[in-house]
Amino acid sequence: MSLPPLPPTTTLRLSREGAVAHVTLARPDVRNAFNDVVIQELTQTFEALGQDTSLRAVVLAAEGKAFCAGADLNWMKAMAGYSWEDNHADASRLAQMLWTLYNCPVPVIAQVQGDVYAGGVGLVSVCDIVVAVDTAGFCLSEAKLGLLPATIAPYVVRAMGEQASRRYFVTAERFSAAEAHRLGLVHALATAETLEETVQGLCNAVVANGPMAVRACKRLVQDVAHAPLTQALRDDTARRIADIRASAEGRDGVQSFLNKSRPAWLG
């Protein structure tokens, strides 16, 4: 099954298996580092994927030994002469790319096969589920260059917590996949041999669920995670469950459960 029309890409490899799209960073010669083209293509690709109502999940993967090494060195050399205005515009494009992935209506599953540095940690942090090979290393290395992980910070702090971010932002230490898992940045560890199988199992779990329910669940977490426990929030959550209970998918799912039959979304 092919993807619906998507913008042409030179830095990404795109494919689809059933209701699951695969977006693969395809610059292994530079450790899948970001440049302006990668940022633009990721933004455009995920904007298009977000409009595909038949899509149930997206797997974000990478070719080569590293998942993503942060900023491309040649791109950094070009930025060395940027004005403040140029730097701000460039950072805004990165911020928009991260937001587009984070805001994708369907779950995004990161398949991390190698090291993750700097902006790459931000890329992992905007994904809903992260599976990493147990030999991967992580590093928020910006401070080593006299910089700071500003545009990725909102997502990284949410993903690994304030206390861990305090440490790794200021020390720029490398930490292991096991430590990333302990902190909650990574949900599951796998060996190189079982990485794809583990990700496939998670895709199968997502696809087995009600399509609209999954999208609503993703939005629910984003909306309530940092919201105060007010009457307005209680009213909002009551409205959401009433909406989905009364929907065709919700009615079908409950009746299928009670009747021990298959819901329509499973065919």
Side-chain angles (χ1 to χ4, degrees):
M1 183 176 184
S2 61
L3 284 166
L6 290 171
T9 62
T10 59
T11 67
L12 308 174
R13 182 165 50 82
L14 308 177
S15 63
R16 181 162 178 165
E17 297 175 7
V20 180
H22 295 259
V23 178
T24 303
L25 302 172
R27 302 178 77 223
D29 52 319
V30 292
R31 298 169 63 82
N32 297 305
F34 291 142
N35 62 15
D36 52 347
V37 178
V38 177
I39 290 170
Q40 180 182 21
E41 291 187 352
L42 278 171
T43 302
Q44 292 176 342
T45 296
F46 274 86
E47 284 176 347
L49 291 174
Q51 296 171 17
D52 182 356
T53 57
S54 70
L55 196 62
R56 308 283 289 280
V58 181
V59 175
L60 180 63
E63 296 179 354
K65 294 182 178 180
F67 179 79
C68 180
D72 180 277
L73 292 177
N74 290 324
W75 186 43
M76 291 178 68
K77 288 176 183 177
M79 287 190 292
Y82 279 11
S83 65
W84 185 94
E85 289 77 14
D86 291 334
N87 273 293
H88 183 258
D90 183 78
S92 295
R93 286 188 287 270
L94 176 59
Q96 181 61 36
M97 182 268 284
L98 294 166
W99 169 251
T100 301
L101 269 71
Y102 178 79
N103 201 46
C104 182
V106 299
V108 180
I109 303 173
Q111 181 175 303
V112 180
Q113 92 296 355
D115 287 351
V116 186
Y117 277 72
V121 180
L123 191 58
V124 166
S125 297
V126 298
C127 295
D128 300 290
I129 305 173
V130 180
V131 183
V133 69
D134 52 13
T135 54
F138 294 75
C139 184
L140 290 150
S141 55
E142 286 85 351
K144 288 182 182 293
L145 306 180
L147 303 175
L148 77 167
T151 48
I152 67 173
Y155 309 102
V156 175
V157 173
R158 281 172 169 79
M160 60 188 277
E162 180 180 350
Q163 282 298 89
S165 297
R166 287 175 187 268
R167 172 178 174 174
Y168 291 111
F169 278 23
V170 302
T171 65
E173 297 169 272
R174 178 184 167 98
F175 55 99
S176 67
E179 177 67 359
H181 181 249
R182 187 186 72 81
L183 295 172
L185 175 63
V186 169
H187 296 94
L189 297 175
T191 64
E193 293 75 22
T194 62
L195 180 62
E196 289 189 14
E197 178 185 355
T198 303
V199 170
Q200 185 59 54
L202 287 163
C203 288
N204 293 343
V206 170
V207 171
N209 299 328
M212 293 301 101
V214 166
R215 290 173 179 239
C217 284
K218 174 169 178 173
R219 175 56 60 188
L220 177 66
V221 174
Q222 292 175 341
D223 289 347
V224 308
H226 302 282
L229 295 173
T230 62
Q231 181 63 50
L233 180 64
R234 297 196 295 274
D235 290 343
D236 176 62
T237 54
R239 177 191 57 77
R240 293 186 196 219
I241 188 61
D243 286 348
I244 205 156
R245 282 177 180 170
S247 71
E249 180 177 294
R251 292 181 186 278
D252 177 39
V254 172
Q255 286 301 313
S256 297
F257 173 75
L258 295 174
N259 297 333
K260 296 182 171 56
S261 58
R262 289 172 65 84
W265 65 79
L266 293 179

